Amino acid sequence: MRLVIARCSVDYAGRLTAHLPSAPRLILVKADGSVSIHADDRAYKPLNWMSPPCTLKEGSGDEEGVWTVVNKAGEKLIITMEEVLHDSSHELGVDPGLIKDGVEAHLQELLADRIETLGEGYTLIRREYMTAIGPVDILCRDADGGTVAVEIKRRGEIDGVEQLTRYLDLLNRDPHLAPVRGIFAAQEIKPQARVLATDRGIGCTVLDYNALRGIEDDKLRLF
């Protein structure tokens, strides 16, 4: 990972245009090729970013200090450096991912055994499908034969959607699997996480732990 702290301005050109005026910012360039620009007032969300696959070109000559990031759709993120305050690179290695608690691990096992919970015609490819950035909880196929990656949480929050997004970016580079869509599955999904998932084309499924275990709910139901 490369960390650059610089006074810079940022322009985005694509489906729409956006401009960040000059200010000190943190720029992260990750090993997967992604580039994100951060301010000092948010916990997780960058001001602007470009997801992989994309290319970064650092200008020279008359364009020295201008970074141009281009993705496969031709969208551009142009970062104009005015003053670089810090520039360092660090090798982080392969991240093991989040360690699941007992309930999440059991949910994964139960859902794999009852994969039809996701929809009629679903079939399991495998649990813990390994990628370069960690294991995907469940990889399966839908009734049309499309590949589906499933991320399972006890409580579905934004960080889980971000984790699944990273997996999807990587899986969709594999021609044997692509196109791969995602399902975010949890016992409870926070509204913010659902909005983010929907915006990224990721489906959401609320899991009933007792139903997966084959235990009937003892509460009266109206139909």
Side-chain angles (χ1 to χ4, degrees):
M1 178 182 291
R2 183 178 177 187
L3 294 86
V4 178
I5 299 175
R7 177 173 291 278
C8 62
S9 60
V10 183
D11 291 280
Y12 169 80
R15 290 168 294 178
L16 47 80
T17 59
H19 174 72
L20 294 174
S22 176
R25 297 189 176 95
L26 168 65
I27 303 166
L28 298 182
V29 183
K30 296 186 178 180
D32 64 2
S34 63
V35 178
S36 56
I37 297 97
H38 298 259
D40 201 19
D41 63 346
R42 317 178 170 210
Y44 61 89
K45 187 176 181 180
L47 296 168
N48 215 326
W49 68 94
M50 193 70 82
S51 299
C54 58
T55 58
L56 167 62
K57 179 182 177 182
E58 297 185 41
S60 58
D62 293 340
E63 295 189 348
E64 185 174 1
V66 178
W67 290 14
T68 304
V69 188
V70 184
N71 66 11
K72 62 182 180 181
E75 298 168 316
K76 293 183 179 181
L77 196 64
I78 301 170
I79 308 170
T80 304
M81 305 287 190
E82 297 172 15
E83 180 184 8
V84 176
L85 306 173
H86 175 86
D87 189 345
S88 64
S89 296
H90 308 270
E91 180 58 54
L92 302 185
V94 177
D95 190 273
L98 296 174
I99 303 300
K100 294 191 173 294
D101 63 24
V103 173
E104 288 180 0
H106 198 204
L107 280 170
Q108 182 192 115
E109 180 182 354
L110 290 169
L111 186 57
D113 288 341
R114 298 165 176 79
I115 198 65
E116 68 279 359
T117 300
L118 297 176
E120 185 177 352
Y122 273 69
T123 57
L124 179 69
I125 297 176
R126 67 168 298 170
R127 291 172 54 197
E128 298 287 328
Y129 185 89
M130 187 55 65
T131 74
I133 57 174
V136 176
D137 288 337
I138 289 178
L139 197 68
C140 58
R141 294 196 186 280
D142 60 22
D144 298 322
T147 311
V148 182
V150 185
E151 179 63 26
I152 300 171
K153 299 294 182 189
R154 182 168 57 86
R155 181 180 294 107
E157 300 187 9
I158 283 177
D159 58 354
V161 178
E162 295 285 6
Q163 185 180 4
L164 179 54
T165 299
R166 293 193 293 271
Y167 288 143
L168 290 171
D169 284 340
L170 195 61
L171 291 169
N172 273 300
R173 300 183 203 176
D174 186 338
H176 300 293
L177 297 175
V180 185
R181 64 183 179 89
I183 293 179
F184 189 49
Q187 288 181 278
E188 174 193 0
I189 300 177
K190 297 293 186 180
Q192 299 92 331
R194 187 180 291 276
V195 169
L196 181 61
T198 301
D199 182 66
R200 295 184 177 180
I202 294 172
C204 292
T205 297
V206 176
L207 300 175
D208 186 327
Y209 188 39
N210 286 337
L212 286 172
R213 294 168 64 199
I215 299 174
E216 289 292 335
D217 192 341
D218 59 2
K219 296 179 182 178
L220 294 176
R221 298 180 182 178
L222 296 175
F223 297 94

